[in-house]
Amino acid sequence: MTDSTALYDIPGPKTRQRHRLYGIVSTIAIVALLGWILYLLFDTGQFTAAKWAPFEYKGIQELLLRGLGNTLKAFAFAAVFSLILGTILACGRLSDHAPVRWVSTLLVEFFRAMPVLVMIFFIFVALKVQPLPALVAGLTLYNGSVLAEVFRAGVNSVDRGQREASYALGMRKTQVMAHVLVPQAVRAMLPTIISQLVVALKDTSLGYLITYEEFLHAGKLIASNLDYDLPFIPVVMVISPIYIGMCMLLSWFANWVARRQRRNPKTEAVDIAPAKPGTLLPGGTPAP
Amino acid sequence: MNVLTDNFSTYGEGFLGTVELTVYSSLLALVLGFLMASFRVAPVGSFRVIGTVWVTVLRNTPLTLLFFAVLLGLPRFGLVLPFEVFAVLALGCYTSAFICEVLRSGINTVSRGQGEAARSLGMSFSETLNNVVLPQAFRSVIPPIGSTLIALAKNSAIAGAFSVTELLGTYKTLSELGYNIVWTFIWIAVGYLIITLTISALFNVLEKRYGVAR
């Protein structure tokens, strides 16, 4: 049922009227809720000049920009390294040698079953690593394992005939992989890979918890400044649209690639299922 | 080894904290997710908009930011509740967006003829959804919902870092007591593995019991 209209009839005049009523009532309810929140914001004095003035200072703006830069830096490192780790682990899982396969399966399953934060804290606290490498390492281990599963699913879902045909042409194992399976798989996997990178981008905010000086950390510094009358809510109101906007942009890009691909004949041999988060269960959506 | 035996009560408290957080947030996420999923397929336009905005915004919010805003922001409105309640709210709302998407794609897997047949029998939207489509969708969404709840259990670790009683939070107490930090973390990892594997096993049983190969 791709079109949800199968769930209800095309409404007649009376139903349309009723729906309009529901629509109006719910809109009023939402507007009232927003109004109430706005009232609360005004009532608790969140829009006073003192609380918003700090955003006009150059130092504060630079602090925020530096935080944003650090977030993007951590994201870039994590993305590159997890793609590399994912490739290595996927090669391991697709290997013809059983011990290699077992080891990589064990690694992938373990790192996917662990909370990212536990890994980051372990690396930060127990191994006494600096915040940035700890954050990047934690994100890499988790996202790399998830991406390994994505890559494996992608390669496995290329039509069997493609592999058989290449072997019949006398290609070697590596040639089949490099020239036939991977190029087709990567095209089909691209949307899933990008959605997993959105997860990595969102998780860079965990750096805040290990005192990495990223965007949220910069916000916290401003928010806890007594000189500016503790502008906590203004900080949240400035930071969250930027964060959510960045993630939305990346998600939207993933969707765009996916839509483009649905029309592309080059990916016809592959119909990929999204990678499953967590563990051990068949099926699923990109890990939250 | 004696890290666990010496501090069994600390670990137990943290473990129970995580379990409690997971269970309550799962319930909230399932209820909210169900509501939002039915909003997203509803015939009324403004309901669909509400559902879509809810899902899009929450799916793209970093959970740490949500915790930051909820745990430290809401008290500034004079809304003072225990930290656990705030944590359940944040986790539940965040996960509900994912549950909603899972349910919606489950509804999409039910073949079109089912909805059409229900309509031709004169069923209304809610009857069609509740008596015909959702019972069939339920069977195909068991595994992805399991994965989402496992992710929820793992995300509850973030609550621990915001000083809610939780498994990850126990490391602070134990490292102050001077125990070997590596072993502390190994037992924390084992605790999380127990929880995620239990959810996984539970949903495998559900899948065997209710899941139907179509």
Side-chain angles (χ1 to χ4, degrees), chain A residues 1 5 9 23 26 41 112 114 121-122 202 205 232 248 251 281-282 288, chain B residues 46 59-60 62 64 72-73 77 94 98 108 119 143 154 171 185 189 204:
Chain A
M1 247 190 287
T5 47
D9 288 306
S26 62
L41 286 173
R112 289 199 318 159
M114 267 300 106
F121 265 76
F122 177 76
K202 288 199 307 190
S205 63
F232 187 87
M248 257 184 202
S251 315
L281 280 159
Chain B
S46 61
R59 281 225 303 183
N60 289 306
T64 325
L72 308 176
F77 291 134
Y94 178 77
F98 293 91
N108 283 338
R119 260 167 53 204
K154 293 194 293 174
Y171 95 88
F185 268 99
N204 273 331

PDB file of all heavy atoms in Angstrom, chain A residues 1 5 9 23 26 41 112 114 121-122 202 205 232 248 251 281-282 288, chain B residues 46 59-60 62 64 72-73 77 94 98 108 119 143 154 171 185 189 204:
ATOM      1  N   MET A   1       0.843  -1.198   0.000  1.00  0.00           N
ATOM      2  CA  MET A   1       0.000   0.000   0.000  1.00  0.00           C
ATOM      3  C   MET A   1       0.870   1.237   0.000  1.00  0.00           C
ATOM      4  O   MET A   1       1.092   1.853   1.027  1.00  0.00           O
ATOM      5  CB  MET A   1      -0.868  -0.011   1.254  1.00  0.00           C
ATOM      6  CG  MET A   1      -2.324  -0.183   0.943  1.00  0.00           C
ATOM      7  SD  MET A   1      -3.261   0.092   2.397  1.00  0.00           S
ATOM      8  CE  MET A   1      -2.897  -1.390   3.316  1.00  0.00           C
ATOM      9  N   THR A   5      -4.223   6.157   0.466  1.00  0.00           N
ATOM     10  CA  THR A   5      -5.659   6.329   0.230  1.00  0.00           C
ATOM     11  C   THR A   5      -6.406   5.002   0.279  1.00  0.00           C
ATOM     12  O   THR A   5      -7.625   4.995   0.326  1.00  0.00           O
ATOM     13  CB  THR A   5      -5.927   6.988  -1.131  1.00  0.00           C
ATOM     14  OG1 THR A   5      -5.138   6.330  -2.090  1.00  0.00           O
ATOM     15  CG2 THR A   5      -5.654   8.469  -1.101  1.00  0.00           C
ATOM     16  N   ASP A   9     -12.001   5.896   2.028  1.00  0.00           N
ATOM     17  CA  ASP A   9     -12.612   6.296   0.762  1.00  0.00           C
ATOM     18  C   ASP A   9     -12.305   7.750   0.462  1.00  0.00           C
ATOM     19  O   ASP A   9     -11.948   8.521   1.357  1.00  0.00           O
ATOM     20  CB  ASP A   9     -14.129   6.133   0.856  1.00  0.00           C
ATOM     21  CG  ASP A   9     -14.511   4.684   0.859  1.00  0.00           C
ATOM     22  OD1 ASP A   9     -14.093   3.975  -0.067  1.00  0.00           O
ATOM     23  OD2 ASP A   9     -15.216   4.245   1.796  1.00  0.00           O
ATOM     24  N   GLY A  23      -9.518  19.300  11.410  1.00  0.00           N
ATOM     25  CA  GLY A  23      -8.314  20.050  11.067  1.00  0.00           C
ATOM     26  C   GLY A  23      -8.252  21.357  11.817  1.00  0.00           C
ATOM     27  O   GLY A  23      -7.231  21.683  12.426  1.00  0.00           O
ATOM     28  N   SER A  26      -7.679  20.746  15.601  1.00  0.00           N
ATOM     29  CA  SER A  26      -6.311  20.353  15.951  1.00  0.00           C
ATOM     30  C   SER A  26      -5.346  21.504  15.724  1.00  0.00           C
ATOM     31  O   SER A  26      -4.411  21.700  16.507  1.00  0.00           O
ATOM     32  CB  SER A  26      -5.875  19.124  15.156  1.00  0.00           C
ATOM     33  OG  SER A  26      -5.877  19.429  13.788  1.00  0.00           O
ATOM     34  N   LEU A  41       7.711  31.283  27.926  1.00  0.00           N
ATOM     35  CA  LEU A  41       9.041  31.830  27.627  1.00  0.00           C
ATOM     36  C   LEU A  41       9.117  33.295  28.028  1.00  0.00           C
ATOM     37  O   LEU A  41      10.077  33.733  28.657  1.00  0.00           O
ATOM     38  CB  LEU A  41       9.350  31.685  26.132  1.00  0.00           C
ATOM     39  CG  LEU A  41       9.694  30.282  25.649  1.00  0.00           C
ATOM     40  CD1 LEU A  41       9.818  30.250  24.144  1.00  0.00           C
ATOM     41  CD2 LEU A  41      11.004  29.812  26.269  1.00  0.00           C
ATOM     42  N   ARG A 112      28.323  -3.730  17.746  1.00  0.00           N
ATOM     43  CA  ARG A 112      26.969  -3.242  17.487  1.00  0.00           C
ATOM     44  C   ARG A 112      26.087  -3.396  18.710  1.00  0.00           C
ATOM     45  O   ARG A 112      25.094  -2.683  18.860  1.00  0.00           O
ATOM     46  CB  ARG A 112      26.352  -3.989  16.308  1.00  0.00           C
ATOM     47  CG  ARG A 112      26.993  -3.590  15.008  1.00  0.00           C
ATOM     48  CD  ARG A 112      26.144  -3.949  13.845  1.00  0.00           C
ATOM     49  NE  ARG A 112      25.563  -5.264  13.992  1.00  0.00           N
ATOM     50  CZ  ARG A 112      24.488  -5.653  13.341  1.00  0.00           C
ATOM     51  NH1 ARG A 112      23.898  -4.839  12.522  1.00  0.00           N
ATOM     52  NH2 ARG A 112      24.021  -6.856  13.508  1.00  0.00           N
ATOM     53  N   MET A 114      27.105  -2.995  21.833  1.00  0.00           N
ATOM     54  CA  MET A 114      27.517  -2.097  22.917  1.00  0.00           C
ATOM     55  C   MET A 114      26.975  -0.697  22.678  1.00  0.00           C
ATOM     56  O   MET A 114      26.987  -0.229  21.539  1.00  0.00           O
ATOM     57  CB  MET A 114      29.045  -2.005  22.919  1.00  0.00           C
ATOM     58  CG  MET A 114      29.739  -2.963  23.821  1.00  0.00           C
ATOM     59  SD  MET A 114      29.266  -2.733  25.508  1.00  0.00           S
ATOM     60  CE  MET A 114      28.233  -4.141  25.723  1.00  0.00           C
ATOM     61  N   PHE A 121      33.343   6.180  26.681  1.00  0.00           N
ATOM     62  CA  PHE A 121      33.785   6.360  28.064  1.00  0.00           C
ATOM     63  C   PHE A 121      34.928   5.424  28.392  1.00  0.00           C
ATOM     64  O   PHE A 121      35.863   5.804  29.086  1.00  0.00           O
ATOM     65  CB  PHE A 121      32.617   6.125  29.034  1.00  0.00           C
ATOM     66  CG  PHE A 121      31.925   7.378  29.434  1.00  0.00           C
ATOM     67  CD1 PHE A 121      31.063   8.007  28.558  1.00  0.00           C
ATOM     68  CD2 PHE A 121      32.132   7.948  30.670  1.00  0.00           C
ATOM     69  CE1 PHE A 121      30.430   9.175  28.916  1.00  0.00           C
ATOM     70  CE2 PHE A 121      31.502   9.127  31.039  1.00  0.00           C
ATOM     71  CZ  PHE A 121      30.648   9.730  30.161  1.00  0.00           C
ATOM     72  N   PHE A 122      34.836   4.188  27.898  1.00  0.00           N
ATOM     73  CA  PHE A 122      35.912   3.228  28.178  1.00  0.00           C
ATOM     74  C   PHE A 122      37.233   3.757  27.627  1.00  0.00           C
ATOM     75  O   PHE A 122      38.245   3.780  28.315  1.00  0.00           O
ATOM     76  CB  PHE A 122      35.583   1.875  27.557  1.00  0.00           C
ATOM     77  CG  PHE A 122      36.675   0.864  27.743  1.00  0.00           C
ATOM     78  CD1 PHE A 122      36.856   0.257  28.967  1.00  0.00           C
ATOM     79  CD2 PHE A 122      37.533   0.547  26.705  1.00  0.00           C
ATOM     80  CE1 PHE A 122      37.869  -0.663  29.154  1.00  0.00           C
ATOM     81  CE2 PHE A 122      38.549  -0.368  26.881  1.00  0.00           C
ATOM     82  CZ  PHE A 122      38.724  -0.971  28.115  1.00  0.00           C
ATOM     83  N   LYS A 202      24.956  12.866  14.388  1.00  0.00           N
ATOM     84  CA  LYS A 202      24.187  13.099  15.613  1.00  0.00           C
ATOM     85  C   LYS A 202      24.986  12.691  16.839  1.00  0.00           C
ATOM     86  O   LYS A 202      24.956  13.352  17.868  1.00  0.00           O
ATOM     87  CB  LYS A 202      22.878  12.296  15.574  1.00  0.00           C
ATOM     88  CG  LYS A 202      21.882  12.850  14.604  1.00  0.00           C
ATOM     89  CD  LYS A 202      20.484  12.374  14.875  1.00  0.00           C
ATOM     90  CE  LYS A 202      20.336  10.903  14.971  1.00  0.00           C
ATOM     91  NZ  LYS A 202      18.930  10.493  15.010  1.00  0.00           N
ATOM     92  N   SER A 205      27.628  14.640  19.152  1.00  0.00           N
ATOM     93  CA  SER A 205      27.231  15.441  20.306  1.00  0.00           C
ATOM     94  C   SER A 205      27.539  14.714  21.607  1.00  0.00           C
ATOM     95  O   SER A 205      27.532  15.319  22.674  1.00  0.00           O
ATOM     96  CB  SER A 205      25.742  15.778  20.235  1.00  0.00           C
ATOM     97  OG  SER A 205      24.988  14.612  20.289  1.00  0.00           O
ATOM     98  N   PHE A 232      20.139  30.087  29.228  1.00  0.00           N
ATOM     99  CA  PHE A 232      20.078  28.679  28.833  1.00  0.00           C
ATOM    100  C   PHE A 232      19.132  28.442  27.660  1.00  0.00           C
ATOM    101  O   PHE A 232      19.496  27.842  26.659  1.00  0.00           O
ATOM    102  CB  PHE A 232      19.641  27.825  30.029  1.00  0.00           C
ATOM    103  CG  PHE A 232      19.725  26.369  29.734  1.00  0.00           C
ATOM    104  CD1 PHE A 232      20.906  25.686  29.933  1.00  0.00           C
ATOM    105  CD2 PHE A 232      18.635  25.698  29.212  1.00  0.00           C
ATOM    106  CE1 PHE A 232      20.998  24.349  29.624  1.00  0.00           C
ATOM    107  CE2 PHE A 232      18.730  24.361  28.899  1.00  0.00           C
ATOM    108  CZ  PHE A 232      19.912  23.696  29.108  1.00  0.00           C
ATOM    109  N   MET A 248      19.207  17.245   9.100  1.00  0.00           N
ATOM    110  CA  MET A 248      18.129  17.173   8.119  1.00  0.00           C
ATOM    111  C   MET A 248      18.679  17.275   6.711  1.00  0.00           C
ATOM    112  O   MET A 248      18.243  16.564   5.810  1.00  0.00           O
ATOM    113  CB  MET A 248      17.151  18.316   8.335  1.00  0.00           C
ATOM    114  CG  MET A 248      15.889  17.908   9.020  1.00  0.00           C
ATOM    115  SD  MET A 248      14.832  19.341   9.090  1.00  0.00           S
ATOM    116  CE  MET A 248      13.799  18.863  10.418  1.00  0.00           C
ATOM    117  N   SER A 251      20.109  13.966   5.850  1.00  0.00           N
ATOM    118  CA  SER A 251      19.038  12.972   5.628  1.00  0.00           C
ATOM    119  C   SER A 251      18.359  13.231   4.298  1.00  0.00           C
ATOM    120  O   SER A 251      18.050  12.303   3.548  1.00  0.00           O
ATOM    121  CB  SER A 251      17.962  13.034   6.702  1.00  0.00           C
ATOM    122  OG  SER A 251      18.488  13.121   7.953  1.00  0.00           O
ATOM    123  N   LEU A 281      18.704  -9.611  14.932  1.00  0.00           N
ATOM    124  CA  LEU A 281      17.344  -9.763  14.447  1.00  0.00           C
ATOM    125  C   LEU A 281      17.294  -9.492  12.958  1.00  0.00           C
ATOM    126  O   LEU A 281      17.948  -8.590  12.480  1.00  0.00           O
ATOM    127  CB  LEU A 281      16.422  -8.777  15.166  1.00  0.00           C
ATOM    128  CG  LEU A 281      15.977  -9.205  16.545  1.00  0.00           C
ATOM    129  CD1 LEU A 281      15.525  -7.997  17.328  1.00  0.00           C
ATOM    130  CD2 LEU A 281      14.852 -10.195  16.457  1.00  0.00           C
ATOM    131  N   PRO A 282      16.525 -10.254  12.243  1.00  0.00           N
ATOM    132  CA  PRO A 282      16.422  -9.986  10.809  1.00  0.00           C
ATOM    133  C   PRO A 282      15.605  -8.719  10.528  1.00  0.00           C
ATOM    134  O   PRO A 282      14.692  -8.399  11.270  1.00  0.00           O
ATOM    135  CB  PRO A 282      15.705 -11.213  10.275  1.00  0.00           C
ATOM    136  CG  PRO A 282      14.929 -11.738  11.420  1.00  0.00           C
ATOM    137  CD  PRO A 282      15.692 -11.388  12.653  1.00  0.00           C
ATOM    138  N   PRO A 288      19.068   4.139  15.138  1.00  0.00           N
ATOM    139  CA  PRO A 288      18.899   5.478  15.677  1.00  0.00           C
ATOM    140  C   PRO A 288      20.079   5.863  16.571  1.00  0.00           C
ATOM    141  O   PRO A 288      20.667   4.998  17.162  1.00  0.00           O
ATOM    142  CB  PRO A 288      17.639   5.415  16.504  1.00  0.00           C
ATOM    143  CG  PRO A 288      17.257   4.003  16.615  1.00  0.00           C
ATOM    144  CD  PRO A 288      18.096   3.187  15.696  1.00  0.00           C
TER     145      PRO A 288
ATOM    146  N   SER B  46      -4.161  18.114   8.602  1.00  0.00           N
ATOM    147  CA  SER B  46      -3.345  18.718   9.643  1.00  0.00           C
ATOM    148  C   SER B  46      -2.763  17.644  10.565  1.00  0.00           C
ATOM    149  O   SER B  46      -1.675  17.822  11.104  1.00  0.00           O
ATOM    150  CB  SER B  46      -4.162  19.724  10.444  1.00  0.00           C
ATOM    151  OG  SER B  46      -5.243  19.084  11.053  1.00  0.00           O
ATOM    152  N   ARG B  59      13.744  12.743  14.570  1.00  0.00           N
ATOM    153  CA  ARG B  59      14.717  11.819  13.986  1.00  0.00           C
ATOM    154  C   ARG B  59      16.038  12.510  13.728  1.00  0.00           C
ATOM    155  O   ARG B  59      17.079  11.875  13.667  1.00  0.00           O
ATOM    156  CB  ARG B  59      14.178  11.257  12.670  1.00  0.00           C
ATOM    157  CG  ARG B  59      13.200  10.170  12.888  1.00  0.00           C
ATOM    158  CD  ARG B  59      13.445   9.019  11.988  1.00  0.00           C
ATOM    159  NE  ARG B  59      13.432   9.382  10.590  1.00  0.00           N
ATOM    160  CZ  ARG B  59      13.578   8.479   9.632  1.00  0.00           C
ATOM    161  NH1 ARG B  59      13.717   7.228   9.936  1.00  0.00           N
ATOM    162  NH2 ARG B  59      13.566   8.850   8.377  1.00  0.00           N
ATOM    163  N   ASN B  60      16.014  13.823  13.544  1.00  0.00           N
ATOM    164  CA  ASN B  60      17.239  14.543  13.219  1.00  0.00           C
ATOM    165  C   ASN B  60      17.807  15.297  14.407  1.00  0.00           C
ATOM    166  O   ASN B  60      18.710  16.108  14.253  1.00  0.00           O
ATOM    167  CB  ASN B  60      16.990  15.502  12.054  1.00  0.00           C
ATOM    168  CG  ASN B  60      16.798  14.748  10.763  1.00  0.00           C
ATOM    169  OD1 ASN B  60      17.625  13.946  10.378  1.00  0.00           O
ATOM    170  ND2 ASN B  60      15.669  14.952  10.120  1.00  0.00           N
ATOM    171  N   PRO B  62      19.997  15.265  17.736  1.00  0.00           N
ATOM    172  CA  PRO B  62      20.903  14.416  18.523  1.00  0.00           C
ATOM    173  C   PRO B  62      20.301  14.181  19.905  1.00  0.00           C
ATOM    174  O   PRO B  62      19.767  15.114  20.511  1.00  0.00           O
ATOM    175  CB  PRO B  62      22.174  15.254  18.627  1.00  0.00           C
ATOM    176  CG  PRO B  62      22.068  16.279  17.560  1.00  0.00           C
ATOM    177  CD  PRO B  62      20.625  16.527  17.354  1.00  0.00           C
ATOM    178  N   THR B  64      21.690  13.641  22.681  1.00  0.00           N
ATOM    179  CA  THR B  64      22.360  14.402  23.743  1.00  0.00           C
ATOM    180  C   THR B  64      21.767  15.800  23.853  1.00  0.00           C
ATOM    181  O   THR B  64      21.542  16.304  24.950  1.00  0.00           O
ATOM    182  CB  THR B  64      23.857  14.541  23.433  1.00  0.00           C
ATOM    183  OG1 THR B  64      24.307  13.358  22.795  1.00  0.00           O
ATOM    184  CG2 THR B  64      24.637  14.758  24.696  1.00  0.00           C
ATOM    185  N   LEU B  72      17.931  19.920  31.505  1.00  0.00           N
ATOM    186  CA  LEU B  72      18.403  21.176  32.064  1.00  0.00           C
ATOM    187  C   LEU B  72      17.498  22.349  31.707  1.00  0.00           C
ATOM    188  O   LEU B  72      17.530  23.372  32.362  1.00  0.00           O
ATOM    189  CB  LEU B  72      19.832  21.455  31.569  1.00  0.00           C
ATOM    190  CG  LEU B  72      20.813  20.309  31.780  1.00  0.00           C
ATOM    191  CD1 LEU B  72      22.167  20.645  31.176  1.00  0.00           C
ATOM    192  CD2 LEU B  72      20.980  20.004  33.248  1.00  0.00           C
ATOM    193  N   GLY B  73      16.672  22.181  30.658  1.00  0.00           N
ATOM    194  CA  GLY B  73      15.849  23.299  30.198  1.00  0.00           C
ATOM    195  C   GLY B  73      14.486  23.369  30.859  1.00  0.00           C
ATOM    196  O   GLY B  73      14.066  24.431  31.302  1.00  0.00           O
ATOM    197  N   PHE B  77      11.314  26.324  33.436  1.00  0.00           N
ATOM    198  CA  PHE B  77       9.923  26.751  33.309  1.00  0.00           C
ATOM    199  C   PHE B  77       9.166  26.470  34.594  1.00  0.00           C
ATOM    200  O   PHE B  77       7.940  26.484  34.608  1.00  0.00           O
ATOM    201  CB  PHE B  77       9.229  26.019  32.162  1.00  0.00           C
ATOM    202  CG  PHE B  77       9.739  26.433  30.822  1.00  0.00           C
ATOM    203  CD1 PHE B  77      10.046  25.484  29.877  1.00  0.00           C
ATOM    204  CD2 PHE B  77       9.903  27.766  30.515  1.00  0.00           C
ATOM    205  CE1 PHE B  77      10.512  25.860  28.640  1.00  0.00           C
ATOM    206  CE2 PHE B  77      10.373  28.150  29.290  1.00  0.00           C
ATOM    207  CZ  PHE B  77      10.676  27.202  28.349  1.00  0.00           C
ATOM    208  N   TYR B  94      12.068  10.548  21.702  1.00  0.00           N
ATOM    209  CA  TYR B  94      13.058  10.326  20.650  1.00  0.00           C
ATOM    210  C   TYR B  94      12.771   9.011  19.928  1.00  0.00           C
ATOM    211  O   TYR B  94      12.710   8.964  18.701  1.00  0.00           O
ATOM    212  CB  TYR B  94      14.448  10.302  21.279  1.00  0.00           C
ATOM    213  CG  TYR B  94      15.576  10.030  20.331  1.00  0.00           C
ATOM    214  CD1 TYR B  94      16.035  11.022  19.494  1.00  0.00           C
ATOM    215  CD2 TYR B  94      16.190   8.786  20.286  1.00  0.00           C
ATOM    216  CE1 TYR B  94      17.077  10.781  18.619  1.00  0.00           C
ATOM    217  CE2 TYR B  94      17.236   8.536  19.417  1.00  0.00           C
ATOM    218  CZ  TYR B  94      17.673   9.534  18.597  1.00  0.00           C
ATOM    219  OH  TYR B  94      18.701   9.295  17.728  1.00  0.00           O
ATOM    220  N   PHE B  98      11.127   6.828  15.706  1.00  0.00           N
ATOM    221  CA  PHE B  98      11.598   5.658  14.959  1.00  0.00           C
ATOM    222  C   PHE B  98      10.521   4.587  14.917  1.00  0.00           C
ATOM    223  O   PHE B  98      10.318   3.933  13.899  1.00  0.00           O
ATOM    224  CB  PHE B  98      12.877   5.115  15.595  1.00  0.00           C
ATOM    225  CG  PHE B  98      14.033   6.062  15.445  1.00  0.00           C
ATOM    226  CD1 PHE B  98      14.300   7.008  16.415  1.00  0.00           C
ATOM    227  CD2 PHE B  98      14.805   6.030  14.310  1.00  0.00           C
ATOM    228  CE1 PHE B  98      15.341   7.897  16.254  1.00  0.00           C
ATOM    229  CE2 PHE B  98      15.846   6.916  14.143  1.00  0.00           C
ATOM    230  CZ  PHE B  98      16.113   7.850  15.115  1.00  0.00           C
ATOM    231  N   ASN B 108       2.590  -0.121   5.176  1.00  0.00           N
ATOM    232  CA  ASN B 108       2.781  -0.147   3.729  1.00  0.00           C
ATOM    233  C   ASN B 108       3.027  -1.543   3.174  1.00  0.00           C
ATOM    234  O   ASN B 108       2.855  -1.765   1.982  1.00  0.00           O
ATOM    235  CB  ASN B 108       3.948   0.769   3.339  1.00  0.00           C
ATOM    236  CG  ASN B 108       3.544   2.222   3.363  1.00  0.00           C
ATOM    237  OD1 ASN B 108       2.352   2.528   3.273  1.00  0.00           O
ATOM    238  ND2 ASN B 108       4.508   3.106   3.506  1.00  0.00           N
ATOM    239  N   ARG B 119     -12.702  -1.478   3.045  1.00  0.00           N
ATOM    240  CA  ARG B 119     -13.513  -0.310   2.708  1.00  0.00           C
ATOM    241  C   ARG B 119     -14.796  -0.717   2.014  1.00  0.00           C
ATOM    242  O   ARG B 119     -15.869  -0.186   2.287  1.00  0.00           O
ATOM    243  CB  ARG B 119     -12.716   0.608   1.791  1.00  0.00           C
ATOM    244  CG  ARG B 119     -12.101   1.759   2.504  1.00  0.00           C
ATOM    245  CD  ARG B 119     -11.100   2.403   1.618  1.00  0.00           C
ATOM    246  NE  ARG B 119     -11.656   2.740   0.321  1.00  0.00           N
ATOM    247  CZ  ARG B 119     -10.936   2.887  -0.776  1.00  0.00           C
ATOM    248  NH1 ARG B 119      -9.647   2.706  -0.726  1.00  0.00           N
ATOM    249  NH2 ARG B 119     -11.505   3.202  -1.902  1.00  0.00           N
ATOM    250  N   PRO B 143      10.370  -7.713  14.080  1.00  0.00           N
ATOM    251  CA  PRO B 143      11.838  -7.573  14.125  1.00  0.00           C
ATOM    252  C   PRO B 143      12.327  -6.130  14.153  1.00  0.00           C
ATOM    253  O   PRO B 143      13.154  -5.794  15.005  1.00  0.00           O
ATOM    254  CB  PRO B 143      12.311  -8.295  12.863  1.00  0.00           C
ATOM    255  CG  PRO B 143      11.182  -9.128  12.439  1.00  0.00           C
ATOM    256  CD  PRO B 143       9.941  -8.480  12.914  1.00  0.00           C
ATOM    257  N   LYS B 154      20.292   0.828  24.483  1.00  0.00           N
ATOM    258  CA  LYS B 154      21.666   1.315  24.398  1.00  0.00           C
ATOM    259  C   LYS B 154      21.719   2.828  24.611  1.00  0.00           C
ATOM    260  O   LYS B 154      22.634   3.325  25.248  1.00  0.00           O
ATOM    261  CB  LYS B 154      22.254   0.952  23.032  1.00  0.00           C
ATOM    262  CG  LYS B 154      22.418  -0.543  22.868  1.00  0.00           C
ATOM    263  CD  LYS B 154      23.292  -0.876  21.693  1.00  0.00           C
ATOM    264  CE  LYS B 154      22.622  -0.486  20.414  1.00  0.00           C
ATOM    265  NZ  LYS B 154      23.517  -0.681  19.272  1.00  0.00           N
ATOM    266  N   TYR B 171      30.239   3.592  36.942  1.00  0.00           N
ATOM    267  CA  TYR B 171      31.700   3.605  36.835  1.00  0.00           C
ATOM    268  C   TYR B 171      32.307   4.708  37.687  1.00  0.00           C
ATOM    269  O   TYR B 171      33.402   4.553  38.226  1.00  0.00           O
ATOM    270  CB  TYR B 171      32.121   3.733  35.361  1.00  0.00           C
ATOM    271  CG  TYR B 171      32.400   5.143  34.916  1.00  0.00           C
ATOM    272  CD1 TYR B 171      33.663   5.701  35.058  1.00  0.00           C
ATOM    273  CD2 TYR B 171      31.389   5.939  34.381  1.00  0.00           C
ATOM    274  CE1 TYR B 171      33.916   7.007  34.662  1.00  0.00           C
ATOM    275  CE2 TYR B 171      31.640   7.237  33.986  1.00  0.00           C
ATOM    276  CZ  TYR B 171      32.902   7.757  34.140  1.00  0.00           C
ATOM    277  OH  TYR B 171      33.132   9.059  33.773  1.00  0.00           O
ATOM    278  N   PHE B 185      34.491  -1.597  33.612  1.00  0.00           N
ATOM    279  CA  PHE B 185      33.808  -1.423  32.333  1.00  0.00           C
ATOM    280  C   PHE B 185      33.402  -2.755  31.733  1.00  0.00           C
ATOM    281  O   PHE B 185      32.369  -2.855  31.068  1.00  0.00           O
ATOM    282  CB  PHE B 185      34.700  -0.635  31.365  1.00  0.00           C
ATOM    283  CG  PHE B 185      34.454   0.831  31.429  1.00  0.00           C
ATOM    284  CD1 PHE B 185      35.273   1.655  32.166  1.00  0.00           C
ATOM    285  CD2 PHE B 185      33.364   1.372  30.781  1.00  0.00           C
ATOM    286  CE1 PHE B 185      35.027   3.001  32.249  1.00  0.00           C
ATOM    287  CE2 PHE B 185      33.116   2.720  30.848  1.00  0.00           C
ATOM    288  CZ  PHE B 185      33.945   3.535  31.588  1.00  0.00           C
ATOM    289  N   ALA B 189      29.728  -3.596  30.501  1.00  0.00           N
ATOM    290  CA  ALA B 189      29.444  -4.117  29.158  1.00  0.00           C
ATOM    291  C   ALA B 189      28.603  -5.381  29.247  1.00  0.00           C
ATOM    292  O   ALA B 189      27.640  -5.559  28.493  1.00  0.00           O
ATOM    293  CB  ALA B 189      30.756  -4.395  28.429  1.00  0.00           C
ATOM    294  N   ASN B 204      12.684 -12.502  19.318  1.00  0.00           N
ATOM    295  CA  ASN B 204      12.766 -13.708  18.497  1.00  0.00           C
ATOM    296  C   ASN B 204      11.621 -14.647  18.805  1.00  0.00           C
ATOM    297  O   ASN B 204      11.052 -15.274  17.912  1.00  0.00           O
ATOM    298  CB  ASN B 204      14.111 -14.407  18.727  1.00  0.00           C
ATOM    299  CG  ASN B 204      15.178 -13.855  17.812  1.00  0.00           C
ATOM    300  OD1 ASN B 204      14.862 -13.390  16.721  1.00  0.00           O
ATOM    301  ND2 ASN B 204      16.411 -13.878  18.252  1.00  0.00           N
TER     302      ASN B 204
END
